[in-house]
Amino acid sequence: MAPSGRWLLVHVTTVAVLLVIFVFQVFALRSSDAGPTASMALALSGLPLLALGLPWSLHYVVSPYTYSTVALAMLGMAGPAVLNVVIHVWIFGLKGRSWRAP
């Protein structure tokens, strides 16, 4: 079964929406004086981003405390999901080309 552009659109949209929610939650958490359990809201978008970033996000899952700043932690959680989107777009572009010699 050939890959469909519909799956690519679903993948890109899902990662983009989760990424926007994740970044908004991080900045809202840092700017407000929220309670001790406010960071649990990051799990709503952070855990699916980690899952969509596998296998590249496995390092963050195994040792999350190696990221010393919030920016590095955000990169460790969201970066692999974006990388998988880029790889998906690249593979979809390759599948659209003809592999036969001219």
Side-chain angles (χ1 to χ4, degrees):
M1 184 175 202
S4 171
R6 198 174 299 160
W7 285 110
L8 179 63
L9 182 63
V10 167
H11 188 195
V12 170
T13 305
T14 303
V15 170
V17 167
L18 286 172
L19 189 62
V20 167
I21 292 170
F22 181 71
V23 169
F24 177 73
Q25 287 175 342
V26 167
F27 285 123
L29 183 66
R30 291 185 66 196
S31 65
S32 68
D33 201 16
T37 59
S39 63
M40 289 303 294
L42 292 176
L44 294 175
S45 59
L47 290 177
L49 278 174
L50 282 174
L52 287 169
L54 286 172
W56 320 114
S57 62
L58 194 58
H59 182 267
Y60 188 85
V61 173
V62 171
S63 59
Y65 298 111
T66 59
Y67 299 93
S68 58
T69 63
V70 174
L72 285 176
M74 285 179 57
L75 183 65
M77 288 183 81
V82 174
L83 177 65
N84 276 347
V85 167
V86 170
I87 291 171
H88 192 174
V89 168
W90 180 64
I91 289 174
F92 188 74
L94 287 178
K95 288 285 188 186
R97 294 182 186 169
S98 174
W99 290 97
R100 287 181 248 142

